[in-house]
Amino acid sequence: MKPRPGSVSVIGMGYVGLCTSAAFASKGIRTVGIDIDEKRIDLIQQGRAPLYEPQLDSMLKKAVTKKLLTATNDISHATDTSLTFLTVGTPSRKDGSIDLTNIERATEELGTALREKQSYHLVIVKSTVIPGTTNKTVNPILAKSSSKTIGTSVGLCANPEFLKEGTAISDTLHPDKIVIGANDKKSANTLKQLYRRFYGKNLPTVILTSPETAELVKYASNAFLATKVSFINTIANIAQSIPGVDVNQVAEAIGRDPRIGSLFLKAGPGYGGSCFHKDLQALINFSEDLSYSPILLRATEGTNEQQAEKVVELVEKLTGPLDQKRIAVLGLAFKKDTDDIREAASLRVITLLLKKGAQVIAYDPLAIPNARKQLGETVEFAKDEHSALKGADCCIVMTEWSQFEKLQTKDYLALMGTPNLVDARRLYNPNEYGALNFAAVGFGTQQQ
Ligand SMILES: NC(=O)c1ccc[n+]([C@@H]2O[C@H](COP(=O)([O-])OP(=O)(O)OC[C@H]3O[C@@H](n4cnc5c(N)ncnc54)[C@H](O)[C@@H]3O)[C@@H](O)[C@H]2O)c1
C-alpha cells in the first residue's frame, strides 16, 4: 500500500472501530481498518459487517467497493496513514479493574511499525481508558517501541467515544461534542483538522482538555447515565407497591424539568451493554486506588443488579413457584436494534429463572447466535415470538423490539398456556392488556 497523507487507520474493528471507519470512508477519507481477528477482517474485506448496526451494512459495502475502506490484520499498514485511532476493547478484570492488555499490545505493535516512518504520525486513544492511561501507559510504550519522541515526531491524544449501539452511525455523524485531550498543540490541532474535514461546517463543539480530563469525561458520562437509570428504577420499585401509580407518568413529569431532562428515565429491567457495568466497575476500582470510596456509584450498580430480581418477583407473583414453569423470554439483546447481549439484563433474569427451576424458551430477532454462545443448551430458542409463546405459563418482555409491540391481547390469549405477561420494558399500555394477567415494572397494582 502506498503512503496516503491525510488517511486514517483504526485498530480494533468492533462496534466503535468499524462504525467510525465506515463513517470516515463515507466522507471520502481513506481508512484502513486493522484487527487481530482474521474472520472479522475477511468479512469486512467482502463489505460484510461482522456485527449488526443500523445503516452499517450499506455504508460498509459502498466504502469497500469504492476502496475507501480496506481491512487488514497487518498493523504495519497503519504507517501508510497519517493518524491511527486505537479502538480495541478495554474489558474488566475479575476484580472490576480495567484490563489494558489490548491497548498495551496494540500500542507496542503500532510503535514498532512506526519506527521507520519519517513523517509525523498521530496516535489517538479512542477506547475508554481510566484517567492517566494515555500519559502513563500508552505514551511510554509508544515512545519505547517507536524510538521516537512523543509530542514531536509522534503525536498523542485521548479522544473518547460517545456513540450508542443501535444508533452508532447516526451518533458518529452527528455527535453533541468532540472531546480532545492532548498535551501539545500539534496533536490537538491535527485531530481537530481531521474532524473539520469530516464534519465541514457542521463541526460540533470541540472541547480541548488534558488527556486525563478527556478520559474522565467518558466515565463521568456513563456513570451519570447509569445512575439516572438506577434512579428511575428505584422510583419504579416504590411505585410498584402503590396501586394507581405509574412510574412512566412520574418520569414524564419530572423529565420536563430541564434540570432533570427526560432521557434515560425509562424504568425497566436494568441497564446492560458492554459499557455501563464495565466502566462503572473500572471507575469504582480506580477511585478506590485514589483512596476514595464512591458510594453513589456502588449504589447505582447494586440497584441495577437487584432489578433482575424485581422482574422475577413480578413473574412469581403471577405464576407462583417457578419450578417446571415454562417461561417465554421475548428479547435477549441489551436493547433493540442490536445483536449485542453483553451484560444484557435478559441474561441476569434467565439465570435467576433457571436457578428457580423454570424452563426458558427465548426469542430475539437478532441476538440468538450471540446468546447461544453464552447460554448453550440451558434454554430453548424459538424461531419467532409466536412460537416462543406457545404453551408458556408466563411471558417476559425483556427487549423493546418494535415487533413485540405489535403483539396484542388476542395473540397472548391464543398462544399461551396461561396468559401471564410481565412487561419489563414498559412496551405496552397496561389499559389495553387488561384481559391478561398483566404486571409491569413500576406499574402499581393491588398487593396480593
Ligand atoms: N460499544 C460501545 O457502545 C462503545 C461506546 C463508546 C466507547 N466504547 C469503548 O470503545 C472500545 C471498543 O469497544 P467495542 O464495543 O467497539 O469493542 P469490541 O469488543 O466490539 O471490539 C474490539 C475489537 O478490538 C480487536 N482487538 C483487540 N485487541 C487488538 C489488537 N491488539 N490489535 C487489533 N485489534 C484488536 C478485537 O478483535 C475486536 O474486534 C472500548 O474501550 C469501549 O469501552 C464502546
Side-chain angles (χ1 to χ4, degrees):
M1 219 183 289
K2 279 196 200 117
R4 292 192 184 269
S7 63
V8 165
S9 46
V10 180
I11 304 180
M13 288 285 97
Y15 284 86
V16 169
L18 186 55
C19 292
T20 306
S21 301
F24 278 140
S26 76
K27 296 282 172 93
I29 297 170
R30 284 188 191 277
T31 305
V32 180
I34 299 164
D35 204 291
I36 44 175
D37 183 336
E38 292 188 12
K39 265 198 209 149
R40 204 160 262 231
I41 291 300
D42 274 353
L43 283 171
I44 300 170
Q45 281 170 339
Q46 296 165 39
R48 289 165 57 200
L51 48 95
Y52 176 77
E53 200 46 57
Q55 302 180 61
L56 178 62
D57 261 332
S58 60
M59 208 177 222
L60 185 62
K61 208 168 279 161
K62 264 189 218 152
V64 170
T65 312
K66 288 186 181 167
K67 297 198 166 50
L68 282 164
L69 175 59
T70 50
T72 174
N73 53 20
D74 180 357
I75 205 165
S76 71
H77 288 305
T79 60
D80 304 327
T81 67
S82 304
L83 305 91
T84 302
F85 286 87
L86 294 175
T87 56
V88 296
T90 47
S92 301
R93 291 205 199 97
K94 270 209 176 93
D95 65 358
S97 64
I98 191 168
D99 180 349
L100 290 172
T101 312
N102 294 332
I103 286 279
E104 289 164 354
R105 180 177 164 190
T107 305
E108 186 169 355
E109 289 177 358
L110 174 64
T112 308
L114 288 173
R115 253 170 197 262
E116 305 306 321
K117 185 165 178 178
Q118 302 299 321
S119 54
Y120 180 80
H121 195 95
L122 179 66
V123 178
I124 304 127
V125 181
K126 192 169 253 320
S127 299
T128 302
V129 292
I130 51 159
T133 304
T134 302
N135 274 337
K136 290 195 198 137
T137 302
V138 176
N139 186 321
I141 295 176
L142 194 59
K144 189 165 177 220
S145 54
S146 68
S147 284
K148 291 187 193 293
T149 313
I150 309 303
T152 49
S153 48
V154 170
L156 183 61
C157 283
N159 172 222
E161 179 54 59
F162 302 96
L163 64 75
K164 304 178 284 302
E165 283 177 30
T167 51
I169 296 292
S170 144
D171 292 345
T172 306
L173 296 176
H174 312 283
D176 47 35
K177 79 271 173 186
I178 291 170
V179 179
I180 298 178
N183 297 312
D184 65 282
K185 277 196 179 137
K186 187 170 181 186
S187 298
N189 286 340
T190 307
L191 185 54
K192 202 172 170 185
Q193 225 174 329
L194 172 73
Y195 282 127
R196 223 178 255 126
R197 251 173 86 202
F198 183 73
Y199 292 107
K201 61 179 181 0
N202 296 321
L203 180 73
T205 302
V206 176
I207 301 171
L208 293 176
T209 69
S210 68
E212 289 76 7
T213 302
E215 291 161 335
L216 187 56
V217 167
K218 175 64 192 174
Y219 283 97
S221 178
N222 276 356
F224 188 82
L225 293 170
T227 302
K228 236 177 147 184
V229 174
S230 281
F231 169 80
I232 200 64
N233 282 339
T234 299
I235 300 298
N237 296 336
I238 297 170
Q240 198 138 327
S241 304
I242 320 171
V245 171
D246 184 348
V247 74
N248 280 358
Q249 289 183 316
V250 177
E252 192 198 339
I254 63 171
R256 285 186 182 271
D257 182 333
R259 293 170 301 174
I260 296 174
S262 60
L263 299 177
F264 274 71
L265 273 189
K266 186 82 195 285
Y271 53 78
S274 64
C275 293
F276 281 6
H277 172 62
K278 160 179 94 73
D279 292 348
L280 262 91
Q281 286 300 317
L283 185 56
I284 291 168
N285 207 281
F286 176 70
S287 307
E288 277 167 354
D289 283 349
L290 300 174
S291 304
Y292 173 67
S293 176
I295 319 168
L296 177 67
L297 304 183
R298 282 189 186 292
T300 294
E301 280 277 272
T303 305
N304 198 56
E305 193 66 29
Q306 187 196 45
Q307 203 58 15
E309 290 162 28
K310 295 286 159 204
V311 172
V312 175
E313 276 171 24
L314 284 178
V315 177
E316 283 174 315
K317 264 190 196 152
L318 297 179
T319 63
L322 281 166
D323 194 33
Q324 300 299 313
K325 294 271 165 39
R326 188 171 171 81
I327 310 296
V329 173
L330 294 190
L332 295 161
F334 83 95
K335 64 175 176 181
K336 72 171 180 178
D337 295 334
T338 179
D339 61 352
D340 198 346
I341 56 151
R342 291 179 287 181
E343 298 300 331
S346 63
L347 300 178
R348 292 190 287 278
V349 167
I350 287 173
T351 304
L352 288 173
L353 293 171
L354 293 175
K355 240 190 219 160
K356 287 174 182 266
Q359 297 166 3
V360 174
I361 172 146
Y363 172 69
D364 188 283
L366 286 179
I368 289 180
N370 283 337
R372 207 186 285 278
K373 282 183 214 152
Q374 195 148 333
L375 296 167
E377 305 290 307
T378 57
V379 310
E380 220 179 292
F381 292 102
K383 70 175 190 336
D384 56 35
E385 59 271 43
H386 295 93
S387 41
L389 291 179
K390 265 187 205 151
D393 296 299
C394 185
C395 167
I396 319 174
V397 177
M398 284 300 303
T399 311
E400 69 283 23
W401 286 104
S402 313
Q403 69 194 72
F404 301 157
E405 241 172 297
K406 293 181 190 137
L407 288 169
Q408 295 171 7
T409 299
K410 64 175 169 51
D411 301 310
Y412 285 106
L413 286 172
L415 293 164
M416 294 182 71
T418 321
N420 293 316
L421 175 61
V422 172
D423 184 359
R425 280 289 176 175
R426 300 305 312 264
L427 202 60
Y428 301 126
N429 176 353
N431 301 327
E432 290 169 16
Y433 287 76
L436 309 176
N437 304 322
F438 182 87
V441 169
F443 184 67
T445 47
Q446 211 68 45
Q447 294 298 292
Q448 284 150 3

mmCIF file of all heavy atoms in Angstrom, residues 113-129:
data_model
loop_
_atom_site.group_PDB
_atom_site.id
_atom_site.type_symbol
_atom_site.label_atom_id
_atom_site.label_comp_id
_atom_site.label_asym_id
_atom_site.label_seq_id
_atom_site.Cartn_x
_atom_site.Cartn_y
_atom_site.Cartn_z
ATOM 1 N N ALA A 113 5.895 -0.606 14.350
ATOM 2 C CA ALA A 113 5.664 -0.343 12.924
ATOM 3 C C ALA A 113 6.067 1.093 12.565
ATOM 4 O O ALA A 113 6.494 1.362 11.446
ATOM 5 C CB ALA A 113 4.198 -0.589 12.585
ATOM 6 N N LEU A 114 5.935 2.006 13.526
ATOM 7 C CA LEU A 114 6.211 3.426 13.235
ATOM 8 C C LEU A 114 7.706 3.770 13.272
ATOM 9 O O LEU A 114 8.103 4.872 12.881
ATOM 10 C CB LEU A 114 5.474 4.327 14.232
ATOM 11 C CG LEU A 114 3.947 4.431 14.080
ATOM 12 C CD1 LEU A 114 3.344 5.212 15.236
ATOM 13 C CD2 LEU A 114 3.573 5.094 12.747
ATOM 14 N N ARG A 115 8.529 2.824 13.736
ATOM 15 C CA ARG A 115 9.973 3.082 13.874
ATOM 16 C C ARG A 115 10.607 3.719 12.638
ATOM 17 O O ARG A 115 11.347 4.680 12.724
ATOM 18 C CB ARG A 115 10.705 1.757 14.123
ATOM 19 C CG ARG A 115 11.188 1.608 15.519
ATOM 20 C CD ARG A 115 11.688 0.209 15.774
ATOM 21 N NE ARG A 115 11.752 0.025 17.199
ATOM 22 C CZ ARG A 115 12.854 0.149 17.916
ATOM 23 N NH1 ARG A 115 14.004 0.412 17.322
ATOM 24 N NH2 ARG A 115 12.831 0.006 19.226
ATOM 25 N N GLU A 116 10.284 3.119 11.476
ATOM 26 C CA GLU A 116 10.956 3.569 10.241
ATOM 27 C C GLU A 116 10.238 4.752 9.598
ATOM 28 O O GLU A 116 10.715 5.288 8.607
ATOM 29 C CB GLU A 116 11.012 2.417 9.211
ATOM 30 C CG GLU A 116 11.665 1.130 9.712
ATOM 31 C CD GLU A 116 13.054 1.376 10.283
ATOM 32 O OE1 GLU A 116 13.783 2.203 9.698
ATOM 33 O OE2 GLU A 116 13.387 0.779 11.331
ATOM 34 N N LYS A 117 9.098 5.133 10.131
ATOM 35 C CA LYS A 117 8.338 6.205 9.458
ATOM 36 C C LYS A 117 9.060 7.545 9.626
ATOM 37 O O LYS A 117 9.469 7.899 10.737
ATOM 38 C CB LYS A 117 6.903 6.272 10.015
ATOM 39 C CG LYS A 117 6.061 7.284 9.275
ATOM 40 C CD LYS A 117 4.579 7.136 9.518
ATOM 41 C CE LYS A 117 3.857 8.237 8.757
ATOM 42 N NZ LYS A 117 2.426 8.184 8.858
ATOM 43 N N GLN A 118 9.153 8.268 8.539
ATOM 44 C CA GLN A 118 9.886 9.538 8.570
ATOM 45 C C GLN A 118 8.976 10.702 8.948
ATOM 46 O O GLN A 118 9.392 11.624 9.633
ATOM 47 C CB GLN A 118 10.507 9.835 7.186
ATOM 48 C CG GLN A 118 11.447 8.761 6.679
ATOM 49 C CD GLN A 118 12.637 8.565 7.603
ATOM 50 O OE1 GLN A 118 13.175 9.527 8.146
ATOM 51 N NE2 GLN A 118 13.029 7.304 7.812
ATOM 52 N N SER A 119 7.722 10.645 8.481
ATOM 53 C CA SER A 119 6.850 11.808 8.696
ATOM 54 C C SER A 119 6.050 11.679 9.993
ATOM 55 O O SER A 119 5.982 10.607 10.613
ATOM 56 C CB SER A 119 5.905 11.968 7.506
ATOM 57 O OG SER A 119 5.216 10.765 7.292
ATOM 58 N N TYR A 120 5.437 12.796 10.379
ATOM 59 C CA TYR A 120 4.653 12.884 11.620
ATOM 60 C C TYR A 120 3.471 11.911 11.602
ATOM 61 O O TYR A 120 2.819 11.716 10.570
ATOM 62 C CB TYR A 120 4.134 14.323 11.742
ATOM 63 C CG TYR A 120 3.300 14.593 12.983
ATOM 64 C CD1 TYR A 120 3.915 14.829 14.207
ATOM 65 C CD2 TYR A 120 1.903 14.635 12.900
ATOM 66 C CE1 TYR A 120 3.149 15.087 15.341
ATOM 67 C CE2 TYR A 120 1.134 14.900 14.024
ATOM 68 C CZ TYR A 120 1.765 15.123 15.240
ATOM 69 O OH TYR A 120 1.010 15.381 16.346
ATOM 70 N N HIS A 121 3.182 11.304 12.733
ATOM 71 C CA HIS A 121 2.035 10.388 12.840
ATOM 72 C C HIS A 121 1.323 10.673 14.153
ATOM 73 O O HIS A 121 1.963 10.827 15.201
ATOM 74 C CB HIS A 121 2.539 8.935 12.818
ATOM 75 C CG HIS A 121 1.455 7.939 12.563
ATOM 76 N ND1 HIS A 121 1.167 7.453 11.304
ATOM 77 C CD2 HIS A 121 0.568 7.350 13.395
ATOM 78 C CE1 HIS A 121 0.162 6.597 11.384
ATOM 79 N NE2 HIS A 121 -0.224 6.511 12.653
ATOM 80 N N LEU A 122 0.009 10.743 14.095
ATOM 81 C CA LEU A 122 -0.758 10.999 15.323
ATOM 82 C C LEU A 122 -1.457 9.716 15.786
ATOM 83 O O LEU A 122 -2.112 9.030 14.992
ATOM 84 C CB LEU A 122 -1.809 12.096 15.070
ATOM 85 C CG LEU A 122 -2.697 12.434 16.277
ATOM 86 C CD1 LEU A 122 -1.890 13.059 17.414
ATOM 87 C CD2 LEU A 122 -3.834 13.387 15.866
ATOM 88 N N VAL A 123 -1.308 9.415 17.072
ATOM 89 C CA VAL A 123 -1.978 8.243 17.662
ATOM 90 C C VAL A 123 -3.084 8.751 18.585
ATOM 91 O O VAL A 123 -2.850 9.647 19.418
ATOM 92 C CB VAL A 123 -0.970 7.379 18.455
ATOM 93 C CG1 VAL A 123 -1.669 6.186 19.112
ATOM 94 C CG2 VAL A 123 0.164 6.910 17.541
ATOM 95 N N ILE A 124 -4.283 8.198 18.414
ATOM 96 C CA ILE A 124 -5.439 8.696 19.169
ATOM 97 C C ILE A 124 -6.061 7.547 19.969
ATOM 98 O O ILE A 124 -6.474 6.540 19.393
ATOM 99 C CB ILE A 124 -6.496 9.283 18.197
ATOM 100 C CG1 ILE A 124 -5.863 10.363 17.336
ATOM 101 C CG2 ILE A 124 -7.702 9.824 18.953
ATOM 102 C CD1 ILE A 124 -6.059 10.146 15.876
ATOM 103 N N VAL A 125 -6.146 7.738 21.275
ATOM 104 C CA VAL A 125 -6.753 6.703 22.125
ATOM 105 C C VAL A 125 -8.249 6.976 22.191
ATOM 106 O O VAL A 125 -8.705 7.910 22.846
ATOM 107 C CB VAL A 125 -6.141 6.725 23.547
ATOM 108 C CG1 VAL A 125 -6.773 5.633 24.414
ATOM 109 C CG2 VAL A 125 -4.631 6.559 23.484
ATOM 110 N N LYS A 126 -9.018 6.169 21.452
ATOM 111 C CA LYS A 126 -10.475 6.355 21.444
ATOM 112 C C LYS A 126 -11.154 5.362 22.388
ATOM 113 O O LYS A 126 -12.269 5.588 22.855
ATOM 114 C CB LYS A 126 -11.003 6.211 20.004
ATOM 115 C CG LYS A 126 -12.443 6.669 19.869
ATOM 116 C CD LYS A 126 -12.874 6.791 18.439
ATOM 117 C CE LYS A 126 -13.031 8.206 17.944
ATOM 118 N NZ LYS A 126 -13.626 9.161 18.862
ATOM 119 N N SER A 127 -10.484 4.251 22.673
ATOM 120 C CA SER A 127 -11.043 3.288 23.630
ATOM 121 C C SER A 127 -11.267 4.004 24.958
ATOM 122 O O SER A 127 -10.606 4.993 25.263
ATOM 123 C CB SER A 127 -10.053 2.148 23.884
ATOM 124 O OG SER A 127 -9.777 1.454 22.703
ATOM 125 N N THR A 128 -12.209 3.463 25.743
ATOM 126 C CA THR A 128 -12.459 4.028 27.071
ATOM 127 C C THR A 128 -11.370 3.535 28.019
ATOM 128 O O THR A 128 -11.218 2.323 28.216
ATOM 129 C CB THR A 128 -13.847 3.573 27.572
ATOM 130 O OG1 THR A 128 -14.814 4.001 26.617
ATOM 131 C CG2 THR A 128 -14.161 4.158 28.935
ATOM 132 N N VAL A 129 -10.609 4.472 28.572
ATOM 133 C CA VAL A 129 -9.492 4.093 29.464
ATOM 134 C C VAL A 129 -9.496 4.980 30.700
ATOM 135 O O VAL A 129 -9.868 6.160 30.627
ATOM 136 C CB VAL A 129 -8.130 4.211 28.731
ATOM 137 C CG1 VAL A 129 -8.012 3.152 27.643
ATOM 138 C CG2 VAL A 129 -7.906 5.601 28.147
#
